[in-house]
Amino acid sequence: MKKIECIIMDWAGTAVDYGCFAPVAAFLKAFKEIGITISMEQARRPMGMAKIDHIRELFKMDGIGDAFEKVYDRQWTEDDVIAMNKKFEGYLFASLADYTDPIPGVIETLQNLRSQGLKIGSTTGYTQAMMDVVLPNAAAKGYKTDNCVTPDRLPAGRPYPYMIYQNMIDLDIPSVDYILKYGDTIADIKEGRNAKVWTVGVILGSNEMGLTEKEVADMPDQELETRKAEVRKRMLDAGAHFVVDTIKELPSVIDTINKKLNNNNSK
């Protein structure tokens, strides 16, 4: 019987750090330090990419590159990207350990799927040095994966598929047909589709939603449903095979995929 053998999780906004706030806060502070104000929406737009690539995309945005040129009377360069990355890392490392609480439902759902023999890999936009902070702190709170691949030791990060392929090698998964990528950003979805694996987006707790647990709880039902529908559409438009509200829906999605695999239905 053909079936999903491996789930590849993202980290911030997917498994830990509800709402993906650690990198957002660091981006805002780093740009403010050089006299440029960026919005949370701008900071979130390239989320999921390797962080230096994320910074490069921010500089390319209308309003940010223009603001830089206005402040410094020149266009930004790659040296500015590198300098900003150092500032960003300083702010991120100062607070990263505080943003490692597992998102509700993640531990229990993955424990259940593990008991059925599934392996849990992971990819991230964080560097290995960043994950050296996240991994032990998340583990102390009960969340562990079987593997973690970072972009800084590969040709490129998301949206390229290399981190997923490295997970396949590390976890001995023989086919992309048996892998499910689960993440909270458009970059996650593109990574999964580029790797030709089953790709699932999650809404609540995601960078795309950009809300705290309290904000979600306090939001009027109709407004919340509207926000969720907007995120769902963005993820489906980016190519997600499925989009769920929370990880608690993932076992049902896996059952659906397993049936498709054995009915010879393509992705």
Side-chain angles (χ1 to χ4, degrees):
M1 177 180 175
K2 298 176 181 178
K3 63 180 182 179
I4 293 297
E5 298 180 10
C6 177
I7 302 165
I8 298 182
M9 300 284 293
D10 174 51
W11 281 85
T14 299
V16 300
D17 186 9
Y18 193 106
C20 194
F21 282 95
V24 171
F27 284 128
L28 295 180
K29 291 176 181 177
F31 274 89
K32 185 177 180 180
E33 185 179 331
I34 66 166
I36 297 174
T37 299
I38 67 172
S39 68
M40 289 186 68
E41 187 278 329
Q42 288 172 319
R44 288 184 180 281
R45 206 180 304 166
M47 198 68 74
M49 301 178 74
K51 296 312 170 204
I52 194 164
D53 294 332
H54 186 138
I55 290 167
R56 196 175 290 110
E57 290 302 308
L58 289 175
F59 272 115
K60 291 177 183 178
M61 285 183 192
D62 291 341
I64 297 179
D66 295 340
F68 183 93
E69 189 169 351
K70 185 175 181 179
V71 172
Y72 293 97
D73 197 29
R74 64 176 177 83
Q75 293 184 339
W76 62 273
T77 67
E78 188 64 17
D79 287 341
D80 297 307
V81 173
I82 294 169
M84 178 58 67
N85 189 54
K86 290 180 180 177
K87 294 180 190 299
F88 163 77
E89 287 186 348
Y91 286 114
L92 184 69
F93 279 114
S95 62
L96 189 54
D98 298 329
Y99 290 90
T100 54
D101 289 348
I103 291 173
V106 167
I107 293 174
E108 299 81 1
T109 301
L110 293 184
Q111 283 177 340
N112 175 48
L113 292 170
R114 262 203 184 99
S115 72
Q116 300 173 36
L118 278 76
K119 297 175 181 178
I120 311 299
S122 64
T123 65
T124 179
Y126 285 156
T127 64
Q128 185 60 54
M130 294 169 191
M131 290 309 299
D132 287 343
V133 176
V134 174
L135 288 167
N137 279 277
K141 298 167 185 174
Y143 180 68
K144 296 180 181 180
T145 62
D146 300 319
N147 197 49
C148 179
V149 178
T150 61
D152 45 330
R153 298 181 181 180
L154 293 172
R158 299 170 184 147
Y160 296 96
Y162 305 122
M163 289 191 289
I164 289 178
Y165 293 157
Q166 189 63 55
N167 270 280
M168 289 182 68
I169 294 168
D170 295 343
L171 296 174
D172 191 22
I173 307 299
S175 171
V176 293
D177 291 337
Y178 308 146
I179 291 177
L180 183 152
K181 174 68 207 298
Y182 181 81
D184 72 296
T185 68
I186 300 305
D188 281 300
I189 298 219
K190 290 180 178 179
E191 175 191 37
R193 290 308 305 254
N194 286 337
K196 310 299 183 187
V197 302
W198 296 94
T199 303
V200 180
V202 60
I203 297 173
L204 294 179
S206 71
N207 171 76
E208 291 301 306
M209 195 71 163
L211 299 174
T212 66
E213 288 184 76
K214 186 177 188 306
E215 286 171 332
V216 170
D218 292 346
M219 186 170 288
D221 290 346
Q222 187 56 54
E223 183 180 353
L224 181 60
E225 289 305 312
T226 299
R227 293 282 296 270
K228 285 163 56 178
E230 291 169 352
V231 173
R232 188 181 303 274
K233 184 179 187 305
R234 288 201 299 273
M235 290 181 166
L236 290 172
D237 286 348
H241 294 101
F242 301 89
V243 179
V244 298
D245 282 2
T246 76
I247 198 169
K248 293 179 182 179
E249 299 171 52
L250 191 56
S252 176
V253 170
I254 290 172
D255 287 343
T256 298
I257 293 172
N258 288 343
K259 289 175 184 176
K260 286 179 177 287
L261 287 171
N262 288 281
N263 289 333
N264 296 317
N265 289 334
S266 61
K267 296 173 186 173

